[in-house]
Amino acid sequence: IYAFQLNFYQLINFIFKQSLPIGLFIILLSIIIDRVFYGCWTIVFWNFLQFNIIKDIASYYGVHSWHWYFSQALPVMLFSFLPIFLYGSWLIKNCSSNF
């Protein structure tokens, strides 16, 4: 939402001077950590993309319909955050003048 409130120059500045260096640092850090733990140079997120999307090997382990992630997986993963989410939603609805 923050990015939509910027003019074009500020948006370019935000992308190239703030977001891109942080993203590249995280990717480089991830590759170095993977090198330490795997013992060889590997890019885990590329292997994940190749295994699941390009080669479609993950379909051997089961395929769910498009809505399964929203109706089953997401609620199970976020269940512990549900009370906090509901409380925050209630706060925003009832105390909107403070935000």
Side-chain angles (χ1 to χ4, degrees):
I1 295 175
Y2 172 74
F4 294 119
Q5 297 172 352
L6 304 175
N7 66 30
F8 182 74
Y9 176 75
Q10 290 172 328
L11 181 63
I12 295 298
N13 187 26
F14 176 73
I15 291 171
F16 288 104
K17 289 188 178 178
Q18 294 178 11
S19 301
L20 192 61
I22 293 169
L24 291 175
F25 174 74
I26 296 300
I27 290 172
L28 181 63
L29 184 64
S30 172
I31 291 172
I32 291 171
I33 290 172
D34 292 338
R35 165 74 169 123
V36 169
F37 285 101
Y38 282 108
C40 62
W41 291 105
T42 184
I43 302 173
V44 173
F45 44 84
W46 170 251
N47 293 341
F48 179 83
L49 178 76
Q50 188 177 21
F51 182 86
N52 289 307
I53 306 298
I54 297 172
K55 293 182 180 178
D56 197 31
I57 298 173
S59 64
Y60 292 124
Y61 300 103
V63 178
H64 297 289
S65 58
W66 66 271
H67 63 81
W68 183 86
Y69 296 100
F70 298 108
S71 64
Q72 301 295 318
L74 197 61
V76 168
M77 291 188 306
L78 298 179
F79 180 74
S80 61
F81 294 107
L82 186 61
I84 299 167
F85 169 76
L86 293 175
Y87 178 68
S89 299
W90 179 83
L91 277 178
I92 289 173
K93 181 181 175 202
N94 293 326
C95 305
S96 61
S97 62
N98 295 334
F99 294 105

